[in-house]
Amino acid sequence: MALDIRGVSKHFRHKGKNTLALDNVDLHVQPGEFICLLGPSGCGKSTLLNIVAGFMKADSGTILSQGTPVTKPGADRCVLFQQPTLYSWMTTKQNVMFGPKMTGMDKTAASERAAELLDIVGLGAFQNHYPHQLSGGMRHRVAYARALINKPNILLLDEPFAALDAITRVSMQNFLLELWQQERTTILFVTHDVEEACLLADRVCVMSARPGRVHAISTVDIPRPRTQATVESQVFIENRRALRTTLEETLGQQEAVVQ
Ligand SMILES: Nc1ncnc2c1ncn2[C@@H]1O[C@H](COP(=O)(O)OP(=O)(O)OP(=O)(O)O)[C@@H](O)[C@H]1O
Ligand SMILES: [Mg+2]
């Protein structure tokens, strides 16, 4: 199993009040799966992702990444942020080769893999450009190439396209679909957009409003490869409707603020 989340709970204490953010969350992710975490604002999606990343500790429960307990951040779990963090003084290719350089990977092999990944992300002709010479979308794509060269067990994405304009967002969704189709990296992707979850995911973990619990795990039954044209199809519309209904079941639930 790529990722095994067992009985994870987490509360926060703020101004004398305890907020239960996650309550006994279980999720089992198979290698190569694309899983979306979907739920209303404040249901604990980012908290769960941060715990999986090792940035935050759970109160109880365990997380196994390829069978190994998560206690801190690690190269097996790569987090991609909303703003790509590239080194401004390095070229595109040097940025991609930074990880392998640090881990002592064979230089020729790293260079070949970096070139291959840059081709896959459509930046073969931009290997010697610096980040400031790239568009926002291109910088994102470099960040994916830089992540994938380290062969992470899982990519963790927290609403990665939320800050983008509508056109770039669609293009990044297409890009991610194509990239995943080729590389089959396991992905845990947070969104509160039903349509995005339906387009991208194999399964959607629908979380209930605070405290975050797994309300349902819905399989998205839409053939792949998927493209933006998929969004127009009858099967997509049916899946989206079903997912929306599942999400609506979770809304209006009582907030749990424990004194
Ligand atoms: N560092 C913190 N200190 C106190 N409370 C926190 C902290 N981080 C998160 N919380 C609380 O935990 C709950 C879950 O927050 P979280 O950010 O995980 O939600 P989310 O599902 O990612 O929401 P959104 O969709 O708005 O990003 C919220 O009630 C939030 O106020
Ligand atoms: Mg969040």
Side-chain angles (χ1 to χ4, degrees), residues 67-188:
T68 305
V70 167
T71 54
K72 57 179 193 289
D76 56 317
R77 288 150 286 127
C78 182
V79 184
L80 280 160
F81 297 97
Q82 278 188 3
Q83 291 301 326
T85 47
L86 303 178
Y87 297 121
S88 60
W89 62 92
M90 289 186 190
T91 64
T92 299
K93 187 159 180 192
Q94 286 166 345
N95 263 289
V96 175
M97 286 183 60
F98 181 76
K101 200 173 160 190
M102 290 292 110
T103 54
M105 183 178 167
D106 175 74
K107 210 176 165 189
T108 314
S111 176
E112 282 171 11
R113 178 67 175 144
E116 183 192 7
L117 279 166
L118 283 168
D119 275 339
I120 290 173
V121 303
L123 292 173
F126 292 85
Q127 299 191 13
N128 298 318
H129 283 60
Y130 288 87
H132 75 273
Q133 297 171 312
L134 303 175
S135 73
M138 287 164 133
R139 285 198 283 268
H140 276 281
R141 287 187 272 150
V142 178
Y144 280 85
R146 195 175 64 170
L148 288 176
I149 201 165
N150 300 319
K151 296 197 180 74
N153 167 36
I154 189 162
L155 285 185
L156 305 173
L157 308 173
D158 191 351
E159 308 208 44
F161 310 143
L164 301 176
D165 65 85
I167 293 172
T168 313
R169 183 174 195 189
V170 166
S171 117
M172 285 305 296
Q173 287 171 342
N174 283 339
F175 160 74
L176 186 58
L177 279 171
E178 279 172 29
L179 188 66
W180 179 83
Q181 201 75 37
Q182 291 200 41
E183 294 289 315
R184 290 295 172 140
T185 307
T186 314
I187 295 182
L188 187 61

Side-chain angles (χ1 to χ4, degrees), residues 42-78:
C43 75
K45 302 181 293 297
S46 297
T47 302
L48 184 58
L49 202 93
N50 285 330
I51 294 172
V52 171
F55 298 152
M56 208 181 255
K57 289 210 185 320
D59 298 337
S60 55
T62 52
I63 292 179
L64 304 175
S65 170
Q66 285 179 313
T68 305
V70 167
T71 54
K72 57 179 193 289
D76 56 317
R77 288 150 286 127
C78 182

Side-chain angles (χ1 to χ4, degrees), residues 12-14 19 21 39-47 159 192 210:
F12 293 103
R13 188 156 185 87
H14 183 66
T19 304
S41 186
C43 75
K45 302 181 293 297
S46 297
T47 302
E159 308 208 44
H192 52 237
R210 206 165 48 233

